[in-house]
Amino acid sequence: MATLQDIGLAAAINILSAIIFLVLFAILRLQPMNDRVYFPKWYLKGLRDSPSRSGAFVRQFVNLDFRSYLRFLNWMPEALKMPELELIDHAGLDSAVYLRIYLLGLKIFVPITLLAWAILVPVNWTNNMLDGDNVIFSSIDKLSVSNIPQRSHRFWAHIIMAYIFTFWTCYVLRKEYETVASMRLHFLASVRRRPDQFTVLVRNVPPDPDESVSELVEHFFLVNHPDNYLIHQVVYNANKLAKLVKEKKSKQNWLDYYELKYSRNQSKRPVKKTGFLGLCGEKVDAIDFETSEIKRLSKEITEERERVIMDPKSIMPTAFVSFKSRWGAAVCAQTQQSRDPTAWVTEWAPEPRDVYWQNLAIPYVQLTIKRLIIAVAFFFLTFFFMIPIAFVQSLANIEGIEKRFSFLKVIIEVNTLINYCRPFIKSLIVGVLPGLALKLFLMFLPAILMLMSKFEGFISISSLERRSASRFYIFSFVNVFLGSIIAGTAFEQLNSFIKQSANQIPKTIGVAIPMKATFFITYIMVDGWAGIAGEILRLKPLIFYHLKNFFLVKTEKDREEAMDPGSLGFNTGEPQIQLYFLLGLVYAVVTPLLLPFILVFFGFAYLVFRHQIINVYNQEYESGAAFWPDVHGRVITALVISQVLLMGLIGTKEAAQSAPFLIALPILTIAFHRFCKGRYEPAFIRYPLQEAMMKDTLEHAREPNLNLKGYLQNAYIHPVFKACNEDEDEDEDGEFNKNWGEESILVPTKRQSRRNTPVPSKVSANSSPPSSLPDVVEEHTQP
């Protein structure tokens, strides 16, 4: 059981680690050779050049101006200076709204912390309940609700505070939801023209023996959207081609490395082994080998590209359909297209940067099966992690184990030196190692969850990250929160569990739940203090940049590609934040001691991530803050969980008169959530026709001669075809574009009946005659 001494040691170690990281960052960011690591966003925008230092050669790599080191903390006020509107223009709405999650935490928990410490801490401290119970506790636990006697009238203070905290949280959530919804609508209305504003994704196009997918798509939309349809682009299964292009790029990097190595020492040509990872196999000339491999891959890429373009089986029953106006796209994306709801399924197309092209090749009918498989796999993954969580909790509760298993105590106290150092070792084990071990166990989880999301078939990077974030939150709740409480309680009260009768165990658990606050405090300090400070240091990108710069970089373009600005990582960052919301709301009434640690996290993380968003991160996509309903919903979930746990805890205290008054809280909270869902969520899932028409009208007035078809023509071509184009000469590019254009447009129809096409094709005049329109009218008017 952690004591104030243990928490103090953990705080000292984590604060010291954070200070070391911040000092290292403050020094490293001033060095000219690290400028691209700590300010890559400005280089990508073309607003920053490599620092040039006149004079000594060393000045090109090291900053010798000692006066600049006196201002090493000026990055903090600089990170707060940029106004939010300028930040949106600089980094996008997603980044600006992501920062508001940290501000939301501060808005909720600053008043809650002040009230809890002013009212609940004195109420809890001025009791002696734990002194008479047969449970293991520390002085910290006397600040929690566990120290309130059974059937005490003091529980009314906790119930009243629960109502106040709930109403305040709901008020802040509603105001924030309203603000973000307004920001999203304003952003969509003011943002410059984007292809996704005019485009929908059509999936599960039904097969037709007489027409290709391209022909069928055009016929369907000419019939059902005759005044708005513009062009379409079918989707190709180019996954194999993408792998070949990626492999060629890797080989090119190795060739650049060996050529650079040879240019530095021409007395000996570099060699390599052709076996597994270059560790075995025949020795060959590295430059000649990589050159031959690139030639082989170039030939395979050309053949595969031609096969993809010419083979009808490579065309998926999916297409990007673009319209003449935002209004037309909104109508199509938000309506059902046919009698069969599983055919001609339409949704808003992601912006081109956001498309995850690999999953577009997955047949629509397979998605349900894939998601069922992943649901089962995620269930087993979640409960499999209970094993390491139990191990972590064994570190956090060394006294309970020693007390039950006496032979471990003998091992630990085997000599005088260990016995003398035992208080420090115990504080280190209890105060630092549990949080650090849990952090390490969770390190590889985001990658696993992202692979699961990709297998499920989501077609945009933003939806992949949102699904992965949702699963990460569920995992954190089950394992990090519930798992730590259940396993930790069993370890802490092991002796009480064995000696007590079965009907007394729930009471022991109810008393012990608040005591787990000490473990979560250590986790917050490791993950939320030292971890955030480590984020700003960017140690991994720093090392990789200098390795690439030394081994691969030959030109300024190579140096730009060596930069790794990264992105926000919504799939990892947002679930982490939500865990702190959960801990804060659960323990606000139960153990207020935890709240100041959470406030430090929210404030420090806001400062660090604001700096990173301004100077470092280059967001892969822009979803217009589409993730906010998930953020709101998970905070509401945390609020309901805190209320249910409080009811259970007070129920174990035999406070029958006061406990029923808590029943209304989750009901009111869920009703509030339903109100917000109906009032604000439509702004995040639909595009108002009024807004679409307004923006279309303004655009037509400002740009009456806009060539929208030319703007959208190649917007949703698979990036691998563009990458192939870069490797071909001008003549080959022209031939490829010719082939692509021929495949993308409609060829003369092979249909026997043309009743479903009322007007001639806008691409091929021979596809259907005007006389088909009366036939359609007659067909629909006959009884």
Side-chain angles (χ1 to χ4, degrees):
M1 179 68 62
T3 62
L4 283 174
Q5 179 183 356
D6 303 331
I7 298 297
L9 178 63
I13 292 175
N14 285 284
I15 291 173
L16 181 61
S17 301
I19 291 174
I20 292 174
F21 290 150
L22 292 176
V23 171
L24 284 174
F25 162 72
I27 295 173
L28 291 173
R29 67 187 285 269
L30 295 175
Q31 311 311 315
M33 63 178 181
N34 298 329
D35 203 58
R36 289 179 178 268
V37 178
Y38 294 110
F39 302 96
K41 189 160 193 170
W42 298 102
Y43 282 92
L44 294 175
K45 285 179 170 286
L47 300 175
R48 193 179 182 98
D49 297 320
S50 298
S52 57
R53 302 283 183 180
S54 58
F57 176 75
V58 70
R59 288 182 179 270
Q60 299 179 21
F61 304 96
V62 181
N63 184 357
L64 299 180
D65 182 7
F66 293 101
R67 290 174 298 179
S68 63
Y69 293 96
L70 300 178
R71 304 185 299 272
F72 70 96
L73 291 179
N74 66 348
W75 67 270
M76 293 185 179
E78 290 293 331
L80 300 174
K81 282 184 179 180
M82 183 178 287
E84 188 173 56
L85 291 178
E86 185 179 342
L87 182 66
I88 293 173
D89 184 62
H90 173 71
L93 185 65
D94 280 343
S95 299
V97 172
Y98 183 85
L99 287 174
R100 294 189 71 93
I101 305 177
Y102 295 104
L103 288 180
L104 177 67
L106 291 173
K107 291 176 183 177
I108 289 175
F109 288 113
V110 167
I112 286 179
T113 302
L114 295 176
L115 277 175
W117 275 78
I119 297 174
L120 294 182
V121 169
V123 170
N124 295 335
W125 178 260
T126 55
N127 289 277
N128 56 2
M129 167 70 178
L130 292 175
D131 295 334
D133 272 8
N134 185 27
V135 293
I136 300 171
F137 70 95
S138 71
S139 56
I140 293 177
D141 300 315
K142 298 188 70 173
L143 297 173
S144 73
V145 73
S146 298
N147 201 33
I148 304 295
Q150 306 280 46
R151 297 183 293 275
S152 174
H153 292 292
R154 295 195 177 200
F155 285 117
W156 283 106
H158 299 82
I159 293 173
I160 293 173
M161 286 295 103
Y163 270 91
I164 293 175
F165 295 166
T166 297
F167 291 155
W168 172 250
T169 302
C170 290
Y171 171 77
V172 174
L173 282 174
R174 191 194 71 81
K175 295 293 290 184
E176 200 68 19
Y177 212 154
E178 183 180 31
T179 301
V180 175
S182 176
M183 290 171 64
R184 173 178 167 84
L185 292 175
H186 178 75
F187 176 80
L188 294 177
S190 61
V191 71
R192 64 181 182 274
R193 185 188 313 110
R194 299 193 317 184
D196 53 292
Q197 297 171 344
F198 301 88
T199 307
V200 301
L201 177 66
V202 183
R203 308 190 73 175
N204 210 25
V205 176
D208 190 299
D210 297 323
E211 288 189 329
S212 67
V213 173
S214 182
E215 295 168 333
L216 191 59
V217 168
E218 185 175 52
H219 274 283
F220 181 86
F221 284 95
L222 280 174
V223 171
N224 297 286
H225 300 269
D227 298 325
N228 296 298
Y229 168 75
L230 183 61
I231 58 170
H232 72 278
Q233 292 167 344
V234 293
V235 174
Y236 289 82
N237 184 353
N239 289 350
K240 182 179 178 181
L241 180 60
K243 291 180 181 179
L244 291 174
V245 171
K246 183 179 180 181
E247 185 179 357
K248 180 183 176 182
K249 184 177 180 181
S250 175
K251 295 292 184 182
Q252 186 63 52
N253 287 338
W254 278 111
L255 178 61
D256 293 342
Y257 163 68
Y258 288 125
E259 287 180 341
L260 188 60
K261 182 178 180 181
Y262 179 61
S263 66
R264 292 173 177 173
N265 181 16
Q266 298 188 2
S267 62
K268 181 180 179 182
R269 287 180 67 85
V271 297
K272 67 170 292 183
K273 294 182 178 180
T274 59
F276 178 71
L277 295 178
L279 301 176
C280 58
E282 179 186 358
K283 282 188 177 182
V284 296
D285 184 285
I287 295 178
D288 292 342
F289 177 77
E290 298 297 347
T291 302
S292 64
E293 285 291 293
I294 291 174
K295 289 181 179 179
R296 176 184 63 83
L297 288 170
S298 297
K299 182 179 179 181
E300 291 184 11
I301 287 171
T302 301
E303 294 174 353
E304 177 65 17
R305 183 183 65 185
E306 293 176 355
R307 186 197 68 80
V308 168
I309 295 174
M310 304 305 296
D311 186 3
K313 294 182 179 179
S314 297
I315 301 177
M316 304 304 299
T318 304
F320 290 99
V321 180
S322 298
F323 295 82
K324 297 177 182 178
S325 64
R326 296 171 182 83
W327 186 91
V331 170
C332 181
Q334 298 167 178
T335 55
Q336 183 174 314
Q337 303 303 309
S338 70
R339 295 178 180 178
D340 182 1
T342 64
W344 298 102
V345 180
T346 57
E347 59 182 291
W348 279 108
E351 67 162 326
R353 295 181 302 167
D354 193 19
V355 177
Y356 189 71
W357 293 94
Q358 290 90 323
N359 281 355
L360 286 176
I362 300 175
Y364 186 79
V365 294
Q366 292 184 10
L367 296 180
T368 302
I369 299 174
K370 284 176 171 285
R371 289 172 187 178
L372 178 60
I373 293 173
I374 291 300
V376 175
F378 178 69
F379 174 82
F380 284 105
L381 174 69
T382 301
F383 286 93
F384 171 79
F385 258 79
M386 281 291 187
I387 299 173
I389 293 297
F391 169 74
V392 168
Q393 290 303 319
S394 70
L395 295 177
N397 304 286
I398 193 170
E399 297 97 335
I401 297 176
E402 284 183 12
K403 193 169 183 178
R404 179 59 186 166
F405 303 104
S406 57
F407 66 92
L408 293 177
K409 187 174 182 179
V410 175
I411 295 174
I412 292 175
E413 298 179 353
V414 67
N415 57 52
T416 306
L417 178 61
I418 293 180
N419 191 36
Y420 178 78
C421 300
R422 188 175 185 277
F424 176 78
I425 295 174
K426 180 255 181 184
S427 297
L428 184 65
I429 291 175
V430 175
V432 178
L433 287 186
L436 183 60
L438 183 58
K439 178 73 173 176
L440 293 175
F441 279 132
L442 297 177
M443 186 177 296
F444 301 103
L445 181 65
I448 297 173
L449 296 179
M450 181 58 74
L451 287 175
M452 287 183 168
S453 299
K454 290 177 179 178
F455 182 81
E456 286 184 285
F458 292 96
I459 53 91
S460 67
I461 300 172
S462 58
S463 60
L464 286 172
E465 291 195 345
R466 289 200 297 271
R467 172 53 67 97
S468 182
S470 177
R471 289 236 163 90
F472 199 167
Y473 177 74
I474 295 172
F475 183 93
S476 299
F477 171 69
V478 173
N479 279 290
V480 180
F481 183 71
L482 289 183
S484 296
I485 288 176
I486 295 171
T489 300
F491 278 113
E492 284 175 1
Q493 313 303 336
L494 194 58
N495 193 46
S496 299
F497 269 47
I498 294 174
K499 290 184 177 180
Q500 285 182 346
S501 60
N503 61 353
Q504 292 296 314
I505 291 179
K507 174 186 173 183
T508 304
I509 294 178
V511 173
I513 285 177
M515 299 179 185
K516 291 311 300 171
T518 54
F519 164 74
F520 290 121
I521 288 173
T522 64
Y523 178 74
I524 291 169
M525 288 188 289
V526 171
D527 182 65
W529 295 9
I532 296 298
E535 166 67 26
I536 200 171
L537 182 59
R538 289 176 55 80
L539 189 59
K540 180 181 174 182
L542 177 68
I543 294 173
F544 275 81
Y545 170 76
H546 286 299
L547 288 175
K548 291 178 181 178
N549 195 35
F550 182 79
F551 290 113
L552 296 176
V553 169
K554 293 187 295 184
T555 65
E556 193 66 22
K557 183 180 179 181
D558 295 335
R559 186 169 288 106
E560 182 175 313
E561 291 179 352
M563 294 188 305
D564 180 21
S567 59
L568 278 174
F570 182 82
N571 59 310
T572 57
E574 195 268 347
Q576 177 197 41
I577 304 172
Q578 292 297 339
L579 179 62
Y580 293 117
F581 275 107
L582 176 64
L583 295 177
L585 292 172
V586 167
Y587 283 99
V589 177
V590 175
T591 309
L593 177 66
L594 180 137
L595 293 175
F597 297 89
I598 287 182
L599 286 183
V600 172
F601 162 76
F602 279 117
F604 185 40
Y606 175 75
L607 178 66
V608 167
F609 280 100
R610 206 173 202 277
H611 173 274
Q612 300 295 80
I613 285 172
I614 292 173
N615 298 298
V616 180
Y617 295 146
N618 185 42
Q619 195 65 8
E620 296 181 72
Y621 58 84
E622 177 58 63
S623 69
F627 56 80
W628 190 261
D630 297 333
V631 174
H632 176 89
R634 284 195 266 274
V635 176
I636 289 292
T637 301
L639 193 58
V640 173
I641 290 171
S642 69
Q643 295 160 355
V644 172
L645 290 180
L646 182 61
M647 281 193 291
L649 178 61
I650 293 182
T652 63
K653 293 287 191 175
E654 301 178 7
Q657 294 181 347
S658 53
F661 286 90
L662 287 171
I663 297 176
L665 271 182
I667 297 174
L668 293 174
T669 304
I670 294 172
F672 165 78
H673 176 59
R674 290 178 62 86
F675 163 76
C676 289
K677 188 177 180 68
R679 174 63 180 84
Y680 302 113
E681 189 174 356
F684 295 86
I685 58 177
R686 300 189 187 97
Y687 190 29
L689 296 181
Q690 182 185 26
E691 295 287 334
M693 181 61 75
M694 186 183 305
K695 193 165 179 62
D696 287 333
T697 304
L698 289 173
E699 187 172 76
H700 291 158
R702 292 171 180 170
E703 301 179 71
N705 300 320
L706 172 66
N707 181 13
L708 187 60
K709 185 174 181 178
Y711 173 72
L712 298 171
Q713 184 74 45
N714 298 322
Y716 284 96
I717 290 179
H718 198 300
V720 73
F721 292 111
K722 298 177 182 179
C724 290
N725 274 350
E726 294 176 358
D727 296 333
E728 303 291 340
D729 59 18
E730 184 176 354
D731 293 337
E732 291 175 333
D733 282 347
E735 183 65 26
F736 168 70
N737 289 332
K738 179 182 177 182
N739 292 337
W740 175 265
E742 289 175 354
E743 184 63 29
S744 296
I745 66 175
L746 181 67
V747 297
T749 181
K750 298 178 182 178
R751 278 184 178 272
Q752 298 299 319
S753 171
R754 297 170 179 171
R755 293 176 181 271
N756 69 334
T757 305
V759 294
S761 169
K762 301 182 181 182
V763 180
S764 176
N766 298 324
S767 61
S768 60
S771 59
S772 61
L773 181 58
D775 295 338
V776 176
V777 176
E778 290 177 8
E779 181 182 21
H780 287 285
T781 56
Q782 289 177 358

